[in-house]
Amino acid sequence: MNTLTHLYESAIGKLFFLDGLPSLLFRLILAPVMIIAGYNKLAISGEADGFLNSLLASPDIVQWFGNSEWGLGLPFPDLLAFLAGWSEFLGGWLLLFGLFTRLVSIPLMFTMVVAATSVHWHNGWFAIAPTNPDTSAAQVLDWLSIPGAKESLENSLEVQERIGKIRAIVEEHGFPEYLYEKGKPSILNNGIEFAAIYFAMLLSLFFTGGGRFVSVDYWIKRTISKE
């Protein structure tokens, strides 16, 4: 047993130089998502009147943040949209290079919490509605008698029925080869799944940093430690 433990620890120890790889992959996944999300919240993504106005949040985003009837109904929509846009846009670029990784993860985690609770929460978990209850992750939750799991499985059957009708209409009246060329149709559930996953990835980066050898943070710290 001691021999196996020694061999295991020895093998793991030889892989230490790769321990920055997960952080790098998380950053590469998160960075473009955050950059484009922030970019589309800011006036620089459209036609702004003057340089200073281009730095502000896009007017339609401000309206969405503030309107309580068809938007988020948040207070101070100008300020919050501005902060959210620049946190995501600049934060995404900093994540890409692994600069101030831990620091920038904090406001990005906050934006994910706000997105999950104010935009996606009432839609449940799934971002894309499952069409097969047998392969849905809710099946496992149903085994554990988690509240809402059975309803999710029933919803999958209804989604399956609707997708079937959509495909039947396309097959009969549409251009299936053309319409399905880029993928089969699905129903957007718009739940918290992606926001929760991004939050978990950012939380990991907050504790681990940008990664050994693969982030600017690492090389700055290494340079400072040598002085």
Side-chain angles (χ1 to χ4, degrees):
M1 185 65 180
N2 290 334
T3 302
L4 291 176
T5 301
H6 176 73
L7 290 174
Y8 172 78
E9 292 178 349
S10 177
I12 294 297
K14 291 179 181 179
L15 297 175
F16 81 96
F17 64 94
L18 294 175
D19 63 5
L21 186 58
S23 293
L24 174 62
L25 294 177
F26 280 6
R27 286 170 31 225
L28 293 179
I29 292 171
L30 287 165
V33 174
M34 298 300 166
I35 290 171
I36 198 62
Y39 177 76
N40 285 313
K41 287 184 177 70
L42 300 172
I44 56 175
S45 62
E47 297 181 1
D49 184 16
F51 173 74
L52 292 179
N53 286 332
S54 69
L55 301 178
L56 300 177
S58 178
D60 58 330
I61 297 298
V62 172
Q63 291 178 10
W64 179 57
F65 267 53
N67 193 286
S68 59
E69 296 182 0
W70 48 265
L72 303 181
L74 298 174
F76 313 111
D78 296 86
L79 177 62
L80 292 180
F82 174 82
L83 292 175
W86 281 108
S87 293
E88 292 174 338
F89 185 62
L90 286 181
W93 286 110
L94 291 172
L95 283 181
L96 183 63
F97 296 104
L99 179 60
F100 306 131
T101 305
R102 285 187 169 92
L103 181 63
V104 77
S105 295
I106 297 173
L108 291 178
M109 282 191 289
F110 181 75
T111 61
M112 292 301 100
V113 171
V114 172
T117 55
S118 62
V119 180
H120 307 290
W121 189 265
H122 65 281
N123 295 322
W125 171 259
F126 292 109
I128 304 297
T131 58
N132 186 349
D134 294 332
T135 58
S136 171
Q139 187 73 258
V140 179
L141 301 182
D142 187 48
W143 294 343
L144 300 174
S145 300
I146 301 297
K150 188 172 296 293
E151 289 79 1
S152 178
L153 296 175
E154 292 172 354
N155 183 66
S156 293
L157 292 175
E158 296 182 8
V159 171
Q160 186 182 72
E161 179 183 353
R162 285 161 173 76
I163 287 292
K165 290 182 177 180
I166 291 173
R167 291 178 178 175
I169 292 172
V170 171
E171 292 288 341
E172 183 177 356
H173 303 289
F175 304 91
E177 292 184 2
Y178 168 74
L179 293 176
Y180 295 161
E181 182 181 4
K182 303 300 182 181
K184 296 293 180 68
S186 60
I187 292 181
L188 179 66
N189 191 60
N190 205 27
I192 68 170
E193 183 176 10
F194 290 158
I197 290 173
Y198 296 154
F199 176 87
M201 295 168 72
L202 289 164
L203 183 63
S204 176
L205 290 175
F206 174 76
F207 284 106
T208 63
R212 188 200 304 259
F213 304 127
V214 294
S215 66
V216 176
D217 287 336
Y218 169 80
W219 293 106
I220 291 177
K221 182 179 179 180
R222 181 167 176 169
T223 301
I224 293 175
S225 64
K226 288 182 178 180
E227 295 179 354

